[in-house]
Amino acid sequence: MTILSFSELTEKCEKENKAIYQITQEEEAKLLEAEIDVVRLKVLEDLLAMKDSIKHGLKSTEKSISGWCGDDCAKLADKYAHSGALFGRVFEKITTYALATSEENLRMGRIAACPTAGSCGIVPSVIIASAEEKKISEAQQINGLLTAGMVGLIISNKVQLAGAVAGCQAECGVASAMAAAALTQMLGGDVNTVINAVALALKNILGLTCDPVCGLVEVPCIKRNAFLAIHAVTACELALCGVESKIPADEVVDTLKITGQLMSPVLKETSQGGLAKTKTALELEKVLFKK
Amino acid sequence: MEQKSVFSVISPIMVGPSSSHTAGAVRLGLMARNIYKDKFKKVKFVLYNSFATTGFGHGTDKGLLAGVLGYSVDDVIIKNIFDIVEDVEYSYEYRQDISRHPNSVDIIFDDKMTVSGDSVGAGEIRINNINGFAANIDGSYHTLLLMYKDKPGMISTVSDIIQKQKVNIASLHCDRSSKGGVASMYVALDIPIGEDVVEQVKRIKDVFFVTNIRKLK
């Protein structure tokens, strides 16, 4: 899209008195040379694919190739069947759904990359769990996903969304900012509140490295999806209460990019540093490659 | 800057586990297949940097192979691709080279054509070299690729042929080995051109290779 910064987006929304999702669907319709309804239908396809991944993920305990992961979602579901989560139903569902989707991904199951596959559990869990618990309509969920999409798009125009380029900041970090934007939109936040939630979420993931053990999208990726889904809720909650980020979103994105450049290549999806080089990781590696 | 679609960040729907290392790999394979076109007997993949180090764990090897065989990113068969391949000899090589993108691959068909590309994140790809000639194909446009002997007037001859079909040219890139040497031209098109047009381009004097590359879904 032609909108390259959050300040430009704010200006456009205010000038035309429109929400971010309205601008997004209009721009996308122009790009596709299609009606807005066609764009919304395509977004709905994504949303339904996300719901399917959750559904499959909740049912399966099939382990990954490594045998390390695949049954954590079931542990949450079991516990919550008997006693609720400390922070109630929304927290319960978000963490469970995030793990369900991420585990489905590691089994080479079908998911929607949002923005990437390694971070695929964050946006869906936040949108779908909140919608179920807060009775948010499908149309509103589509608005949320469109808002998340615009946020991801603006960031991706400045920095490639790949762990190999900017670490996990650019994957789970950006997903968390997108989820914060979606939720803030769905809960009625205006343009400034949405973008403020983005800035708050992004500021607090700066420096996040990509150090997967043995190069698998498992450790620490899967559990990180649950953590950063909740991170998105915190950003949304603060923004809705009027807490403002002192550093504007655009400057935070620039910082994310620079931090990514400063990050050593050993911490960028090469599995040559960080958690991937711990004593335990090296032991796991030995066992794995014996298989 | 070229306008990007919102769906580049909220999709694709794909099989996991990695958009850059699995879906990106499938799309690089698909694009290379679209470029080579011929039925191939042998394919070799040279994986670089992060593709080489962590590709195994992300199913990059499976994704690349599935792509050159024509499977799409959301096909659950990718997981078991090694079990179903017949009649194609495939091999892998792993290298480190800091002059290359972190997620980079050379795909070599029948020892005849080398297609090089990068997976640049979120499943997006870029083909940047074909048989030693710089390219810039991201799969978002139908692209006419030709190689020819460098000489004046080639751009206008080719664009005239396309113009007559009332097809709009989105962008055009040329590269050459030396003045009067081998040159390449990439013409990105808004709508695909027919094989009859490709035949016309093939008949231009001193053109020795033409391929009509379909965009990716």
Side-chain angles (χ1 to χ4, degrees):
Chain A
M1 297 210 179
T2 41
I3 300 161
L4 296 176
S5 67
F6 288 107
S7 56
E8 245 179 81
L9 176 63
T10 312
E11 205 178 302
K12 193 170 166 69
C13 287
E14 284 175 348
K15 200 172 131 202
E16 298 179 21
N17 195 24
K18 285 175 186 157
I20 295 172
Y21 76 86
Q22 289 171 305
I23 302 282
T24 313
Q25 63 195 20
E26 284 170 16
E27 291 285 322
E28 192 65 31
K30 268 189 250 165
L31 186 66
L32 295 178
E33 295 173 11
E35 298 294 320
I36 283 174
D37 285 348
V38 175
V39 174
R40 291 183 68 87
L41 265 175
K42 274 186 70 142
V43 178
L44 178 61
E45 263 176 48
D46 268 338
L47 189 65
L48 295 176
M50 290 170 173
K51 290 183 180 178
D52 263 356
S53 311
I54 292 174
K55 206 168 88 187
H56 287 121
L58 285 173
K59 272 191 284 190
S60 178
T61 50
E62 183 192 327
K63 292 280 191 90
S64 57
I65 307 165
S66 67
W68 307 335
C69 305
D71 58 356
D72 284 333
C73 170
K75 288 175 194 160
L76 268 64
D78 275 355
K79 198 252 175 190
Y80 295 150
H82 303 103
S83 59
L86 193 58
F87 293 124
R89 283 290 281 170
V90 180
F91 179 93
E92 190 178 305
K93 281 196 169 174
I94 289 177
T95 45
T96 313
Y97 290 3
L99 289 185
T101 308
S102 286
E103 289 185 348
E104 197 52 21
N105 181 51
L106 72 84
R107 296 182 190 111
M108 292 188 92
R110 201 184 257 118
I111 53 94
C114 190
T116 63
S119 59
C120 69
I122 298 169
V123 172
S125 63
V126 171
I127 291 182
I128 293 161
S130 312
E132 284 176 8
E133 285 306 302
K134 300 284 169 196
K135 308 273 179 285
I136 294 168
S137 70
E138 192 169 74
Q140 282 282 356
Q141 294 173 55
I142 292 171
N143 297 349
L145 196 45
L146 278 162
T147 309
M150 176 57 96
V151 167
L153 205 51
I154 288 175
I155 301 170
S156 77
N157 280 326
K158 286 190 180 164
V159 54
Q160 285 179 14
L161 305 184
V165 174
C168 197
Q169 304 180 104
E171 296 208 20
C172 287
V174 170
S176 192
M178 289 167 66
L183 185 57
T184 310
Q185 169 62 45
M186 293 186 335
L187 296 176
D190 64 10
V191 178
N192 283 303
T193 313
V194 170
I195 293 173
N196 200 31
V198 169
L200 289 169
L202 279 184
K203 274 202 305 187
N204 292 290
I205 52 81
L206 291 174
L208 197 62
T209 64
C210 179
D211 52 359
V213 173
C214 298
L216 304 174
V217 194
E218 298 188 22
V219 181
C221 321
I222 294 170
K223 298 177 195 89
R224 183 167 293 164
N225 273 261
F227 279 91
L228 287 192
I230 297 302
H231 180 79
V233 180
T234 311
C236 168
E237 192 85 55
L238 262 62
L240 284 173
C241 292
V243 177
E244 279 179 26
S245 170
K246 291 281 182 281
I247 313 292
D250 287 320
E251 292 176 39
V252 181
V253 176
D254 292 340
T255 308
L256 187 152
K257 181 181 182 173
I258 295 163
T259 307
Q261 288 164 346
L262 291 170
M263 203 179 276
S264 162
V266 305
L267 298 172
K268 289 191 279 192
E269 213 171 343
T270 53
S271 294
Q272 288 168 350
L275 291 171
K277 281 292 173 196
T278 54
K279 192 172 144 248
T280 303
L282 295 175
E283 279 164 14
L284 286 169
E285 202 171 279
K286 266 189 223 155
V287 177
L288 182 71
F289 289 112
K290 254 187 221 156
K291 274 192 180 179
Chain B
M1 183 184 275
E2 179 81 30
Q3 197 170 331
K4 281 205 290 189
S5 164
V6 70
F7 293 102
S8 67
V9 288
I10 59 173
S11 49
I13 298 168
M14 54 168 277
V15 298
S18 164
S19 43
S20 56
H21 285 60
T22 319
V26 178
R27 299 183 88 229
L28 280 164
L30 280 167
M31 206 65 225
R33 172 193 171 89
N34 286 356
I35 292 166
Y36 186 62
K37 289 220 159 116
D38 288 350
K39 196 165 158 33
F40 57 92
K41 283 207 162 65
K42 196 166 111 181
V43 60
K44 180 177 168 182
F45 304 97
V46 184
L47 288 78
Y48 292 89
N49 305 333
S50 174
F51 256 16
T53 327
T54 73
F56 158 74
H58 290 123
T60 306
D61 46 0
K62 292 179 180 175
L64 287 166
L65 184 60
V68 297
L69 294 171
Y71 294 99
S72 65
V73 292
D74 67 341
D75 201 319
V76 286
I77 206 136
I78 295 169
K79 189 175 178 174
N80 303 313
I81 192 78
F82 293 146
D83 302 336
I84 59 153
V85 181
E86 282 174 2
D87 308 330
V88 171
E89 190 189 316
Y90 58 91
S91 62
Y92 300 91
E93 203 179 298
Y94 303 91
R95 289 186 199 160
Q96 293 299 319
D97 180 350
I98 51 163
S99 70
R100 299 285 296 255
H101 185 276
N103 301 327
S104 187
V105 65
D106 297 334
I107 302 173
I108 306 157
F109 292 104
D110 294 329
D111 298 319
K112 273 203 286 198
M113 179 182 269
T114 302
V115 179
S116 304
D118 306 330
S119 176
V120 298
E124 300 290 301
I125 58 139
R126 196 171 296 128
I127 299 292
N128 49 40
N129 200 297
I130 299 170
N131 274 357
F133 288 94
N136 188 3
I137 305 173
D138 66 4
S140 60
Y141 284 100
H142 302 288
T143 304
L144 182 72
L145 157 64
L146 57 150
M147 291 188 185
Y148 53 96
K149 183 177 174 299
D150 180 47
K151 64 173 187 182
M154 199 56 100
I155 294 176
S156 66
T157 310
V158 173
S159 60
D160 267 1
I161 293 173
I162 294 169
Q163 187 53 41
K164 286 196 183 109
Q165 307 296 317
K166 299 202 173 12
V167 175
N168 192 29
I169 295 176
S171 71
L172 193 150
H173 296 274
C174 292
D175 187 26
R176 64 180 184 188
S177 59
S178 63
K179 191 173 174 188
V182 181
S184 65
M185 191 191 300
Y186 298 88
V187 190
L189 305 162
D190 282 341
I191 50 172
I193 48 168
E195 285 306 311
D196 52 321
V197 185
V198 177
E199 284 307 314
Q200 283 183 51
V201 175
K202 273 184 186 164
R203 283 199 293 272
I204 301 171
K205 191 169 180 297
D206 291 328
V207 168
F208 54 82
F209 178 81
V210 183
T211 185
N212 191 15
I213 308 163
R214 290 196 72 83
K215 70 176 182 181
L216 291 176
K217 269 197 288 180

